[in-house]
Amino acid sequence: MRYKIFFFFVALLCIPQPVQAQDSHVSIIYSSQSNDIPPEVYKLDALVSRFSKEIDIIRDTEVVPNSLSKTSHLFYYGVNPSPIPKSTREQINQSNLPLYGIGYNVDQLNVFKKIDTTRVQGISKFHQTRTDTDLTFELADTVFLVNHDDSIVHASLIEKNVKRPMIIQTGTHFYSGVYNLLNRSSLLVADSLYDFFKVKAKEEHLGYLRLEDINPSTDPVLLEKVGDYLLDRDVPILLAVIAVYVDPDNGQNVHYTDRPKLLQVINRLEERGATVISHGYTHQYRSSETGEGFEFWDVENNQPVLVPSNETPPILKQQEAFSNDRDYKQYMETVLEGETAYIRSKLTRSIHELVSLDLHPLGFEAPHYTMSHSGYALASEQFSNIFGQVQWSNSDWEVMGTTPYISKPTLLQGMTLYPETIGYVRTDLPRPVEEMRRARDEMMIVRESMIGGFYHPYIGTEHLPALVDMMESTPGFRWFNLREQDEQVSTVDVSVTTVDGVLTLRDDRSQVINQLKRYLPTSFLERSLLALALVTLVAVLTFLIYTIYLRTQRKKRLFKERG
């Protein structure tokens, strides 16, 4: 018997286990005309963060003699054509590190001297060698085809039905002719990183379904039907909850305490296993409607939110308007003080409001996925994770995207990104679930990719059976449950944590004050009416007290006269 047990454990040890590259230290050296880190480089960092906790992003002009002293894996990203500084070239050439080159300028590096690259426009068809899959992406791309003997081809472009190498490997070195990582073709680069880092992936794809834009105007009947259907099918749903609804017609704030039936539905869904995440405090800015407007980005001026919605914001000056970096940094620190106060207030009020409703928010989703880079830093102080997509650009909200797998981009300051990868059910399309299936099929070329999507409860249950069936038909599919992760959402006074599936709430606020706050008005009109009522009450009380005083004095005079 003992021999059988011994051989059983030996057999277990022989089973291949997924090897992680978390001990790796990555340096990303990039060449760019921009003074700021380009969005494409942030995207590369996000992809690499799946494989390493230590990532240094260095512009080619800022490489110093010891920049690569701790590096185990090196990336060179030529965002724009330019000469690589001599000292940087020498450091890269002398490093003998596994090198992954992307885009322009790689012919200046020794390991890629023999590579011939040709820039080709209008490419929409690709082939992945590992899965032997042909892909056609919706938007055409500009890439480099590669001519190199004795190389392993990981991906090819397809032009006139001919496959031509595009991502290749020579020894421990890789080169990708896909250089616009903001495009869909970057999925091919994402998958090749498993081979570059020599990581064995798990044979599974996690998936989640998020019920979107739940707010005090949500129909409780439809939400209950949708939520119950999914929970009955053992889908651990996420509820993206907006704390307050702002009526665009009169500016009045509507709270869940004004919609008790809806609140009961949300509480019951959470009790059944749904997980709440914060989707902003009002999900709007200025006069826009909750769920439609932006909250953490001034979309009219395409800049961070610098002032409350009732004030006129200053227009941000560009760095070129300043004579030196020091003046520009001082200016930015001053002007972003308003954003810091605004975002902290909104995030804190959102968490407090949800907790006061006996809900347990465990994550964050930025409204419309938009937020400045400084905003992400502020969010990371209160949330351990974020759902959806990332705004890669700090100056243009439309430059956004996500990673195909769970990652921890440097941009998010420690937050885990749970990506939205297959979109949502669009009722304006004739076959909305088929559109999501197409996106899912594209995700399948990336190992361990997450199948993440969302659904609006106001649609009802019409498309849910087909959607759930499609997601569960994914090879190696497993539903992702946020409660099973170690997550934390916190403010100074409140924290919600989960460890090994156990939710823990800490609330140090005064319960009396907490309950009073739930019923205090928040809109300008309501506050004005309350102030008027208080002034009236004080006036009436003053009048009564004065009347009583006069009667008391009159009685005293009568007693004196009789005496």
Side-chain angles (χ1 to χ4, degrees):
M1 182 65 181
R2 284 181 295 177
Y3 291 107
K4 290 182 179 179
I5 295 174
F6 172 76
F7 283 118
F8 173 74
F9 280 109
V10 170
L12 282 178
L13 291 174
C14 293
I15 296 174
Q17 299 294 320
V19 179
Q20 302 300 318
Q22 297 296 349
D23 293 335
S24 60
H25 190 125
V26 175
S27 292
I28 298 174
I29 298 175
Y30 70 93
S31 299
S32 172
Q33 298 170 355
S34 172
N35 290 324
D36 298 321
I37 297 176
E40 299 91 334
V41 175
Y42 278 124
K43 174 65 179 291
L44 175 61
D45 164 86
L47 295 175
V48 171
S49 70
R50 159 64 185 83
F51 305 92
S52 177
K53 294 179 180 178
E54 301 292 335
I55 303 175
D56 299 322
I57 302 175
I58 316 168
R59 191 176 182 181
D60 60 358
T61 56
E62 297 173 353
V63 175
V64 295
N66 63 344
S67 290
L68 306 181
S69 60
K70 297 180 181 179
T71 304
S72 64
H73 295 75
L74 178 60
F75 285 77
Y76 171 76
Y77 190 175
V79 181
N80 301 115
S82 65
I84 303 173
K86 181 181 177 182
S87 59
T88 300
R89 283 202 320 271
E90 290 175 350
Q91 278 213 59
I92 294 175
N93 291 335
Q94 294 169 10
S95 67
N96 294 319
L97 297 169
L99 174 62
Y100 199 128
I102 301 175
Y104 293 95
N105 314 323
V106 295
D107 58 332
Q108 301 174 39
L109 305 174
N110 287 346
V111 298
F112 299 127
K113 283 288 186 183
K114 296 180 180 179
I115 283 182
D116 244 354
T117 61
T118 305
R119 191 164 173 265
V120 184
Q121 296 178 323
I123 301 299
S124 58
K125 294 182 179 181
F126 302 89
H127 178 82
Q128 186 186 52
T129 306
R130 181 180 65 83
T131 58
D132 193 23
T133 302
D134 288 343
L135 300 136
T136 301
F137 295 123
E138 187 176 355
L139 298 177
D141 208 348
T142 299
V143 298
F144 286 100
L145 64 85
V146 185
N147 294 318
H148 188 274
D149 298 330
D150 303 322
S151 62
I152 299 171
V153 178
H154 287 272
S156 307
L157 61 87
I158 301 176
E159 191 177 32
K160 297 179 180 178
N161 295 322
V162 177
K163 297 174 188 174
R164 309 176 77 177
M166 184 183 61
I167 299 178
I168 64 166
Q169 175 185 356
T170 58
T172 60
H173 308 303
F174 281 61
Y175 172 76
S176 171
V178 176
Y179 66 93
N180 186 350
L181 299 184
L182 303 180
N183 286 352
R184 196 70 170 171
S185 54
S186 65
L187 293 174
L188 295 163
V189 178
D191 185 72
S192 72
L193 296 180
Y194 281 89
D195 300 306
F196 179 67
F197 286 101
K198 299 180 180 178
V199 168
K200 182 172 177 59
K202 296 179 182 178
E203 297 293 332
E204 70 174 11
H205 295 272
L206 296 177
Y208 73 80
L209 197 55
R210 199 175 68 236
L211 298 188
E212 193 77 343
D213 290 339
I214 299 170
N215 66 80
S217 73
T218 297
D219 186 329
V221 175
L222 290 176
L223 176 61
E224 187 170 33
K225 285 182 179 179
V226 170
D228 281 341
Y229 175 84
L230 292 170
L231 292 171
D232 288 344
R233 289 196 60 171
D234 297 322
V235 179
I237 52 174
L238 295 159
L239 306 177
V241 180
I242 305 163
V244 176
Y245 174 79
V246 179
D247 191 320
D249 296 328
N250 55 28
Q252 184 176 2
N253 288 1
V254 182
H255 297 256
Y256 286 99
T257 49
D258 303 316
R259 302 287 188 267
K261 289 183 179 180
L262 174 61
L263 180 56
Q264 288 174 7
V265 169
I266 298 173
N267 284 135
R268 193 176 65 79
L269 292 177
E270 190 186 48
E271 288 172 4
R272 288 197 60 191
T275 303
V276 171
I277 63 174
S278 168
H279 192 26
Y281 184 64
T282 61
H283 198 312
Q284 57 82 234
Y285 186 60
R286 296 195 178 95
S287 59
S288 57
E289 184 179 3
T290 290
E292 300 296 329
F294 295 67
E295 185 167 11
F296 298 116
W297 187 260
D298 182 352
V299 71
E300 290 183 15
N301 297 302
N302 206 11
Q303 65 180 25
V305 174
L306 303 178
V307 295
S309 59
N310 59 344
E311 298 180 18
T312 302
I315 303 302
L316 276 181
K317 298 178 182 178
Q318 300 300 313
Q319 187 170 0
E320 292 75 17
F322 297 85
S323 57
N324 56 67
D325 290 343
R326 181 175 57 83
D327 290 346
Y328 175 68
K329 288 179 180 178
Q330 287 180 349
Y331 164 76
M332 289 300 295
E333 287 176 3
T334 302
V335 79
L336 290 179
E337 288 177 358
E339 182 200 40
T340 299
Y342 173 86
I343 291 180
R344 278 186 176 151
S345 171
K346 287 275 193 170
L347 295 180
T348 299
R349 291 164 73 184
S350 169
I351 296 168
H352 285 182
E353 184 98 8
L354 296 178
V355 169
S356 296
L357 299 169
D358 294 325
L359 298 172
H360 304 79
L362 267 184
F364 175 59
E365 179 198 349
H368 292 312
Y369 303 142
T370 57
M371 203 170 214
S372 71
H373 295 179
S374 49
Y376 286 131
L378 294 169
S380 71
E381 296 174 2
Q382 298 184 259
F383 296 91
S384 61
N385 66 73
I386 188 169
F387 278 81
Q389 299 186 28
V390 177
Q391 183 178 320
W392 305 120
S393 170
N394 206 29
S395 58
D396 186 354
W397 72 269
E398 293 186 279
V399 182
M400 66 167 64
T402 193
T403 54
Y405 34 60
I406 297 171
S407 59
K408 279 197 170 185
T410 300
L411 192 60
L412 299 184
Q413 303 290 323
M415 287 190 290
T416 300
L417 171 62
Y418 296 116
E420 175 260 297
T421 57
I422 63 171
Y424 64 102
V425 170
R426 292 180 52 185
T427 54
D428 60 319
L429 299 176
R431 303 175 68 190
V433 175
E434 288 307 305
E435 285 297 309
M436 298 177 75
R437 185 191 301 275
R438 181 188 59 78
R440 188 280 310 268
D441 291 344
E442 291 178 357
M443 284 294 116
M444 297 308 295
I445 69 170
V446 183
R447 284 162 273 191
E448 295 185 319
S449 57
M450 175 165 261
I451 312 302
F454 63 94
Y455 190 90
H456 290 102
Y458 62 75
I459 298 173
T461 58
E462 178 185 357
H463 300 284
L464 276 182
L467 176 58
V468 175
D469 288 344
M470 181 273 289
M471 294 181 72
E472 291 185 341
S473 69
T474 304
F477 183 81
R478 180 165 65 87
W479 285 109
F480 170 77
N481 192 337
L482 187 61
R483 294 194 187 191
E484 295 175 355
Q485 315 305 308
D486 293 345
E487 303 291 355
Q488 177 170 325
V489 173
S490 63
T491 68
V492 173
D493 302 313
V494 170
S495 70
V496 181
T497 58
T498 178
V499 179
D500 298 328
V502 179
L503 276 170
T504 304
L505 170 65
R506 173 187 63 84
D507 190 350
D508 295 335
R509 296 173 297 167
S510 166
Q511 292 305 308
V512 175
I513 295 175
N514 184 28
Q515 292 300 318
L516 285 174
K517 283 183 177 179
R518 290 174 62 174
Y519 298 98
L520 286 176
T522 53
S523 71
F524 176 76
L525 178 60
E526 290 174 330
R527 286 175 175 174
S528 300
L529 292 174
L530 177 62
L532 181 61
L534 289 174
V535 170
T536 304
L537 177 62
V538 170
V540 170
L541 289 175
T542 303
F543 176 76
L544 288 174
I545 292 170
Y546 185 65
T547 301
I548 294 170
Y549 170 77
L550 290 178
R551 288 187 176 182
T552 304
Q553 294 301 313
R554 182 182 178 187
K555 286 181 180 180
K556 286 182 180 180
R557 287 198 299 272
L558 288 173
F559 280 122
K560 286 181 180 180
E561 289 174 1
R562 290 178 182 177

